């Protein structure tokens, strides 16, 4: 069974930065599509960023230019660098994996079959 574990969440002021990480086991990041999605109270799940097996990335319009997704296929880790954070970025952030390596649609990340337990990000104004 694929296992994913997020870390790096926390509380920051608007304009600050955080770097989320996701460590995977029983999964080859080089073959999977990987992504981040977030859940905020009262809102629909939102795919934030995706990276496929070829390294092609995609972002939600709400984070484009501020967030950067990357992965290390050797270490089996996924990262999300979040800059210029806004209060509306406050949410639980989840790492997710899909065995089809060329799934590059960011909107679908919340439907990926494997996900971690999440890490909370809180941005204050």
């Amino acid at each position: 069974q694929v296992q994913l574990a997020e870390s790096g969440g926390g509380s920051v002021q608007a304009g600050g930065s955080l770097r989320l990480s996701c460590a995977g086991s029983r999964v080859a990041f080089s073959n999977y599509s990987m992504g981040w999605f977030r859940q905020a109270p009262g809102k629909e799940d939102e795919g934030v960023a995706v990276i496929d097996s070829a390294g092609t990335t995609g972002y939600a319009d709400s984070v484009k230019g501020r967030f950067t997704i990357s992965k290390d296929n050797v270490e089996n880790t996924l990262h999300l660098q979040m800059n210029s954070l806004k209060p509306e970025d406050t949410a639980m952030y989840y790492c997710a994996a899909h065995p089809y390596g060329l799934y590059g649609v960011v909107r679908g990340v919340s439907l990926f079959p494997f996900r971690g337990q999440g890490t909370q990000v809180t941005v204050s104004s």
Side-chain angles (χ1 to χ4, degrees), residues 1-4 23-30 32 34 76 97 114:
Q1 180 74 358
V2 172
Q3 294 184 337
L4 303 170
S25 59
R26 301 190 183 96
V27 56
F29 280 26
S30 58
Y32 278 58
M34 305 295 302
N76 253 15
F114 305 108

Side-chain angles (χ1 to χ4, degrees), residues 79-125:
H79 302 286
L80 185 68
Q81 179 65 44
M82 305 186 296
N83 299 328
S84 302
L85 282 162
K86 304 176 181 180
E88 50 264 43
D89 294 319
T90 295
M92 184 72 79
Y93 283 71
Y94 294 87
C95 168
H98 196 296
Y100 178 58
L102 296 180
Y103 194 107
V105 180
V106 65
R107 284 195 307 273
V109 172
S110 62
L111 301 177
F112 280 14
F114 305 108
R115 63 174 62 178
Q117 295 298 309
T119 186
Q120 178 68 37
V121 172
T122 302
V123 185
S124 58
S125 57

